[in-house]
Amino acid sequence: MANSTITFFVNGNEVRVQNPDPELTLSTFLRYKLNLTGTKLGCEEGTCGACTVAIARWNALEKRARFVSANACIVPLYLVDGALVLTVEGIGSQKRLHPIQERLSSGNATQCGFCSPGFVMAAYALLRNNPTPTADEIRAALVGNLCRCTGYRPILEALESFANPSGGCCMGGQGGCPCKESTKENSVPDKEPLLICGLVNYEQMRKFDESSEIIFPPKLIMQHRQQSFVLKGKRALSATFKSLVTVDRFVSTGIKMRLDHSMNPSPTANAVWLSIQHIHELKNVVVSDGIIHIGSGLTISEFVVAIRAHCKSEQYVSTIDELFAKYSSDQVKNTVSWSGALSSALPTSDLCTLFLALNWRIRLLNLSTSEYRTLTADQFLSGSYGRKTAMESVEIITALLVPSVPKLGIAAFKHGKRLGADDSVLNAAASYDEATGSCRIVVGAFQRPLILDKSSALRNGECPSDSIASAIDADFEQFSVENEFDYKKRIAKAALTDMLSVLAGTVQEGGLSITRNALEPLQLFKGSDPSISPVGRPLRHAAADRHTTGEAEYVDDIRIHELKHAALVLSTEAHARIISIDPSSALAVEGVLAYVDAKDIPPGGKLRPSLSPLLMVQDDTPVFADGVVEMIGQPIGCIVADDVETARRAAQLVNVEYEKLPAILTMEDAIVAQSYLLPKPMQFGKSQEEVDKALKAAPILLEGELEIGGQEHLCMETQSSIVVPQENDEWTLYTSTQNPSDAQYLCANLLGIPVCNIVVKVKRLGGGFGGKATGDHIARAPAIVAANKLRKPVSCVLHRYDDMITTGKRHPALFKYRVGIDDDGRLLTVHVVQYIQAGYSMDHSVLIAIMIQYADACYRVPAMRAECWALKTHTCSNTGFRGFGRPQTFFFMETVMAEVAQRVGKTLNEVKKLNLFNEGDRALCGSTIRNYCLPKCWQELERFSDFDKLYKECEEFNKTSRRIKRGVAISGTVQGLTSHWFEMGNAHVQIMLDGTVRVNVGHVEMGQGLNTKMIQIAAAVFKIPHEKINVIEMATDKTANAFPTASSIGTDVCGLAKACEKLLEGIQPHIDQHEGDFVKALMSAWIAKVPLQANETVKVEREAHNMPPRELTYFTTGAACVLVEVDCATGEHKLKLVDIIMDLGDSINPAIDIGQIEGAFMQGYGLMTSEEIETDCNDQITNATVSGYKIPTVHMVPERFRVKLLENGKNYPGQIYRSKVNGEYGSASLYFTCSLTIRPVEESASHHCSQQLLSIRRYGWLLIRIEARSTSNVSIRHLLPNEF
């Protein structure tokens, strides 16, 4: 009789589950059954790595446990039967950190912390198998883990300290700082004794010791299950077999089938999954008669290991190793079977392409007749009657047959939209039989892997590029109607060129390798002043230990009794009238409680709660569509159910009938239709007449237009809210918002109740970047309407897909401009008109339009006029994003500077330095440039990076390298702070009688280190150890009417120092009386009825320092030098080095500030390279997944990443401890340097290629072309890689 109980161990404890639902994932079980919430959910598709756990099974042959990292969100629970599962909670805790947790937390490798448990467990699985890995092995293990905050440098530096040997500049603090002590030209000279080099010394930390880890349970070693088990769920039946003899139907692991099945909302969508997880015969590797028999139950990782162990051809092994080193993630590679990959016959499957190129054989078993047959790859992939393969429905794959001594020469190629490991855009493989001279070339690009007949006829050797192009054209002709046809055809030409040269043994210059030099990080900063310690010290993030142990709590980790779950019903039309809504099918699903929409807003409540005189920003976004939908993804209503999976599936069953209306989907269409949010544009600068006159008088006129696309925030934590009704119509909200005060007011307006009845609490955010200033209402507002209707607590945590299609992005922008310059390249006048795509409602778009006042960036323009129109389109309402509109304007101005340099025949660096602001200049925004150090940062950076030498080296390299080109450039940034609108903050401080202090400020911790700096400030004022300070959650019942947490200005405006100073004034006499004993002084003060708590609201001091009331008090400035390598054949590129110098005044915490600089740079690097929002003709986002939207990975981190904080800048005396806030834009703009580095490549590239490199970001790679017109205009346009 089949068993229905699975047994496994979690963190050393035995777990037995009776008949688990086959659809139940390991992550859901861990989080909601065992309450192990350290396993985070960021994507629910096995891509982001936040849910990474370590899974161990006993290997009887090796007599040891083998550990693998796995994505718990895609692993069905039943597949861990007989395994040991380790989560981040199981290896360490805040009180006793594991060495991995200690190095990540002490190494400043956490910011928001949401992704940190995944990185911990990915590294843990690696170290359990290999305690002394190489740096390359560590990086390979982390490629499946994504981070949106840190930029990866501190994560890599911390974990590569386990490497043998650890490498990189100053890593581990071994023997001081070679950069600082060296006499090389590009080193930091010895005359800077006040500078501190490096943030962490890893040599002082505990080593990884396998003997102290959880052992594999002896019970699982001894246990040998003889019988199969069968599991019955609501919608699925799963059977796992122990013997091949008992199998009677098609077999799979269940991973892909479960993921596909979960997307089917029907409650009657029954399925049968049969698993080969435990069939011994299919888990073996046997070598017989020169053939390697690789069992079909093995994973892709195990397939690669088998090839490595048993194949006698070094070229075979190295080629296959290199190909699968680019696999999207180790977690997936460790989980999915190679047989499942072959069965898919997908063109993006690297294994399918390799299989067909080498024409390996495969063994099939007929379950009806028990007969075996063997097919070649040609035969297997020749499916008929609509089937992808020749495998019958009653057949299963049992083994792959690979020659152990292959006679063929092979080559492989893979190209993704990101450098390094990624999903394939195009893969290729080739084999060559030297005896017969035959060649077989296969490309995976469209529909299924394809043998290229014409290309294969080229055989091997160096073929003329014209012959290769003609062959590819002929082979690809049948796919001419496919998407991305031209793009993939050009990549295929590069693939064919590379592989033919490899087969001929004449490799001269290939593409970019993912193999990296040792990471060379460096952080330089001024030493702290002991009199104000711990201010100025690089303390780690205050919650770093909880981040890395999984103890840090986010909204979805909060457990509320009887909590119900809401899922949104979203529009599928861009612009339409709603004819009818029928939720009956959804309400019929077991566990569904209610359907909620606009009709459920109570009397007195507002459908558009952001339209209120009490709010600074007026926004007409409705909570639910009411009669008309105006974007795909607009919330129409929501379904509330007992669990989140039921709610999400049922929401898809709500039937909405539409009458389509005309839709405006693009900026061009909106301009033609004059579809604007406001009747007039935002305007700054000179009058039209003055600018026209200046343009007419300018010796040289440039004119053109350019466009930049949007960017998805992709916070690791999606929009999330929990709403809890209380007595007396009072409410407590736990929500992921950057703006708790507005959330409080909006909920009150929505329900029509007093604001004082609502308390909003925010402990931390799993990333924000501006996307949770207003975007959080998409989850919060439906939840509170539902909770009000049901009078039960309701959670709304958006699925990643829903989050990406409903929430606003960075605004796409179009610029039309005229620029007047003199013969030296000096800017005389600029007239620019910007158009931003606002979307269907206001959100923050009007404020973003106002940011056109910063269109002069960091350059002096005597006569400038800037205008911005916010365009109303039937698309998502775009919102604030790091930099808040200014990155778009910097992109414009940096592009203009490149055009100026090209026109006057000077280097870009010369022209930019010529036009930089000077102290005392007047900016376009109307403020005087003061407390400003950009020229100094620039000069210091030229020396720090040895820019002139780098520039010459790039020129020499490009003369001799035909395919790989290098470019180097410097770019600057400037941000004026603080705006008088935001110069008010509040803080609440309580001193306890034991000498500890509790702090609550009116801003939110979201990874920027605000709480850490607050702790340092409070400790400095009270002169007590920083460990005695605790910053608690932001809550509107303690700090009300606070401003939004934005622009990284929280440290400037929170007012904590004033509150602490106010308290200290009262207790100082008692401190003196008790000779500095703080605890005794507090008791004395308390007895004397001296207040020990204070709530202070302050503003930035201006009058005392003769500062005009509405001008900016100081400017955060910085400069970056970036060197990039570009593959001219594919468009791939690699950051070789990044050096950054920033003026942050006297930094309160250098570790926090440097982390923000690095993270902003890498996030902007994604904007300009790999990140692209793809839509169809109806504006439906087609890559609304973490796998489809390409944020940077660990493979994209520069080999040399150095940051220095300027030690002698100009500070505003009215700022807290003379610091300058980092400014989310202050470092975010530096990433535009990436685009400028390619410009010096153009002349060299065009010398070797038939055309110039082209501009702008497309298909993941940054390429630039300036196309001069006869009228001296310039235009920037989208084209494809390799279009020379």
Side-chain angles (χ1 to χ4, degrees), residues 14-46:
E14 183 177 6
V15 178
R16 294 173 61 85
V17 183
Q18 180 73 28
N19 193 39
D21 191 321
E23 293 192 88
L24 179 64
T25 62
L26 176 58
S27 60
T28 300
F29 182 81
L30 293 173
R31 288 182 56 80
Y32 301 109
K33 300 296 183 181
L34 301 185
N35 203 32
L36 296 172
T37 55
T39 303
K40 305 301 181 188
L41 291 177
C43 68
E44 300 183 64
E45 57 166 317

Side-chain angles (χ1 to χ4, degrees), residues 415-418 424-426 446 476 482-493 1129-1132 1174 1258-1261 1279-1283:
H415 177 82
K417 296 186 179 181
R418 291 179 287 209
S424 294
V425 170
L426 180 143
F446 304 107
F476 269 53
E482 297 283 350
N483 291 334
E484 300 184 340
F485 170 74
D486 290 333
Y487 166 55
K488 291 185 178 180
K489 187 171 70 172
R490 288 178 174 84
I491 300 301
K493 292 176 183 177
T1130 64
E1132 289 181 318
E1174 300 171 3
R1258 179 65 174 164
Y1259 300 115
W1261 307 109
L1279 286 173
L1280 303 171
N1282 200 32
E1283 185 169 329

Side-chain angles (χ1 to χ4, degrees), residues 395-608:
E395 288 183 313
I396 64 168
I397 300 172
T398 61
L400 178 65
L401 310 183
V402 179
S404 60
V405 187
K407 298 178 181 179
L408 301 177
I410 70 169
F413 176 96
K414 176 172 179 172
H415 177 82
K417 296 186 179 181
R418 291 179 287 209
L419 179 69
D422 195 10
D423 301 324
S424 294
V425 170
L426 180 143
N427 54 45
S431 64
Y432 175 64
D433 189 335
E434 189 172 357
T436 64
S438 63
C439 184
R440 173 188 286 237
I441 296 175
V442 177
V443 166
F446 304 107
Q447 298 177 14
R448 64 167 64 193
L450 172 71
I451 298 176
L452 303 184
D453 295 327
K454 297 292 185 182
S455 300
S456 297
L458 295 174
R459 301 183 185 276
N460 69 313
E462 290 192 41
C463 297
S465 58
D466 290 345
S467 299
I468 291 175
S470 298
I472 291 293
D473 287 343
D475 286 324
F476 269 53
E477 185 177 1
Q478 59 183 302
F479 301 115
S480 59
V481 298
E482 297 283 350
N483 291 334
E484 300 184 340
F485 170 74
D486 290 333
Y487 166 55
K488 291 185 178 180
K489 187 171 70 172
R490 288 178 174 84
I491 300 301
K493 292 176 183 177
L496 185 55
T497 302
D498 284 358
M499 293 190 300
L500 287 176
S501 62
V502 169
L503 293 176
T506 59
V507 181
Q508 295 181 359
E509 186 181 13
L512 297 176
S513 171
I514 64 171
T515 302
R516 315 279 296 205
N517 295 327
L519 179 69
E520 188 182 332
L522 177 65
Q523 307 90 39
L524 290 171
F525 54 94
K526 186 171 68 173
S528 62
D529 180 352
S531 67
I532 55 172
S533 183
V535 166
R537 289 175 52 195
L539 299 184
R540 71 184 187 184
H541 194 290
D545 50 0
R546 283 158 280 161
H547 290 160
T548 58
T549 60
E551 296 171 60
E553 189 176 67
Y554 302 84
V555 172
D556 195 33
D557 300 333
I558 299 171
R559 296 293 170 253
I560 303 292
H561 182 63
E562 289 293 309
L563 182 65
K564 307 305 175 184
H565 301 269
L568 301 181
V569 177
L570 303 175
S571 167
T572 58
E573 297 291 341
H575 190 204
R577 184 173 291 105
I578 298 175
I579 303 302
S580 65
I581 302 174
D582 180 9
S584 59
S585 296
L587 294 173
V589 175
E590 181 182 354
V592 171
L593 303 176
Y595 169 74
V596 177
D597 62 13
K599 298 182 181 65
D600 295 299
I601 296 175
K606 295 181 178 180
L607 178 65
R608 292 175 171 80

Side-chain angles (χ1 to χ4, degrees), residues 168-278:
C169 170
C170 315
M171 285 198 64
Q174 300 176 15
C177 174
C179 297
K180 195 172 178 182
E181 297 165 2
S182 173
T183 58
K184 294 181 180 179
E185 293 182 36
N186 64 340
S187 65
V188 180
D190 295 334
K191 67 179 182 180
E192 299 173 319
L194 295 179
L195 285 180
I196 294 177
C197 174
L199 297 168
V200 187
N201 187 344
Y202 294 104
E203 291 299 304
Q204 299 175 351
M205 300 183 190
R206 289 187 300 128
K207 309 293 184 183
F208 176 78
D209 181 5
E210 190 175 10
S211 66
S212 64
E213 302 299 329
I214 295 176
I215 64 170
F216 191 82
K219 182 175 182 178
L220 293 182
I221 301 175
M222 303 300 295
Q223 182 176 320
H224 180 69
R225 191 190 302 277
Q226 297 294 331
Q227 56 186 352
S228 306
F229 65 80
V230 176
L231 308 174
K232 295 182 179 180
K234 294 179 180 179
R235 308 194 311 158
L237 171 70
S238 174
T240 295
F241 301 100
K242 297 296 289 184
S243 169
L244 193 55
V245 176
T246 61
V247 179
D248 61 357
R249 296 188 61 181
F250 175 76
V251 177
S252 79
T253 61
I255 293 175
K256 181 66 166 60
M257 295 183 71
R258 190 216 65 81
L259 189 60
D260 291 343
H261 192 66
S262 68
M263 299 177 185
N264 188 337
S266 173
T268 60
N270 295 322
V272 178
W273 309 332
L274 298 106
S275 174
I276 57 177
Q277 186 73 17
H278 300 295

